[in-house]
Amino acid sequence: MTKERTLVVVKPDGVQRSLIGEITGRLERVGLKLVGIKMIVPTPEFIETHYTIDPEWRRITGEKTIKSYKEKGQIPPSEDPLEITGVILKNLMTFMTSGPVVAMVWEGVHAVKIVRKLVGSTEPLSSDVGTIRGDYVLDSYQLSDKDGRAIRNLAHASGTVDEATKEIDLWFEKDELIDYRLVQDAILYDVNMDGILE
Ligand code: ADP
Ligand code: MG
């Protein structure tokens, strides 16, 4: 099967909480290969481009927020998804530019889905135990909306293969990504597991 590449960004809260190693370690130990990494302080314009790379993002994220409020029996801040994401985007531009972030590209079979599974769902309050967002942080839509800020959930991960391709193109130059062999690839992907015994 073809290997995928996906973008992971340790957000400013992840860097400030000294969780770069924890987050990177979880992706490493599942067998994914790190093919690019850098620390930057993004500009607000860059963050707007990043989050609106998928033309459907505003609608989907707005609808996801409304659904989450209603599932908890709460009233969403607005019934209009686009009004909600207008505010979220502004708050993300403040949050994501507040300090350095660590951008990484990870490669492997099913990399996009595997990384989303390890990172967990958007709202830490409902992210599964065992995921990065479920294990290391405690934010909620309710708290972040009350305080007028973006949800602090430690890391960004591309949502689909198409989104990953566009995001990697935005964050990395071609020569910043390295093709190389990892010795563990032989165990992860080799059909016969031969060549172990002498
Ligand atoms: P994900 O990062 O899980 O792919 P989205 O793409 O839907 O989530 O949203 C991007 C980011 O915007 C989230 O990770 C979170 O930091 C922030 N965010 C999303 N929805 C809200 C919300 N309702 N209130 C505050 N911040 C939000
Ligand atoms: Mg997303």
Side-chain angles (χ1 to χ4, degrees):
M1 287 189 71
T2 51
K3 294 187 181 135
E4 298 172 0
R5 285 181 170 182
T6 190
L7 179 81
V8 174
V9 181
V10 180
K11 296 183 178 185
D13 58 332
V15 174
Q16 292 304 313
R17 301 260 325 273
S18 299
L19 290 172
I20 302 167
E22 287 293 336
I23 292 166
T24 308
R26 283 175 175 225
L27 304 177
E28 244 185 333
R29 77 183 182 196
V30 83
L32 292 166
K33 187 197 296 185
L34 183 63
V35 296
I37 181 164
K38 62 182 170 187
M39 177 178 261
I40 61 166
V41 181
T43 64
E45 296 71 34
F46 185 83
I47 291 304
E48 178 166 20
T49 307
H50 165 74
Y51 278 110
T52 54
I53 236 169
D54 172 8
E56 292 294 297
W57 178 82
R58 292 175 197 258
R59 182 182 58 77
I60 293 167
T61 294
E63 287 174 357
K64 195 164 74 175
T65 300
I66 293 170
K67 184 162 166 269
S68 167
Y69 269 92
K70 291 190 172 169
E71 276 170 2
K72 297 183 194 116
Q74 297 162 353
I75 299 163
S78 164
E79 287 290 342
D80 176 5
L82 299 187
E83 191 181 328
I84 291 184
T85 36
V87 176
I88 294 175
L89 192 54
K90 202 172 74 35
N91 292 336
L92 279 170
M93 285 157 76
T94 307
F95 170 47
M96 293 293 288
T97 60
S98 61
V101 302
V102 177
M104 301 181 275
V105 178
W106 289 89
E107 184 185 278
V109 167
H110 306 299
V112 173
K113 275 199 179 152
I114 295 274
V115 170
R116 286 293 285 201
K117 181 184 73 166
L118 296 174
V119 167
S121 59
T122 307
E123 185 193 31
L125 175 63
S126 36
S127 312
D128 287 335
V129 172
T131 65
I132 291 164
R133 288 167 173 175
D135 283 356
Y136 294 116
V137 70
L138 45 66
D139 210 0
S140 69
Y141 286 126
Q142 212 185 358
L143 179 60
S144 65
D145 287 347
K146 180 178 82 58
D147 292 345
R149 58 167 177 75
I151 288 208
R152 293 178 188 147
N153 55 12
L154 304 173
H156 164 83
S158 307
T160 63
V161 173
D162 180 53
E163 195 177 284
T165 307
K166 291 178 183 157
E167 289 180 355
I168 291 167
D169 245 30
L170 176 70
W171 285 76
F172 285 87
E173 300 294 337
K174 290 266 172 298
D175 64 3
E176 291 176 316
L177 302 176
I178 299 170
D179 290 312
Y180 65 100
R181 241 187 315 277
L182 266 186
V183 286
Q184 68 170 0
D185 287 352
I187 301 304
L188 291 168
Y189 302 117
D190 189 87
V191 180
N192 302 319
M193 293 274 287
D194 49 11
I196 297 173
L197 294 175
E198 292 193 351

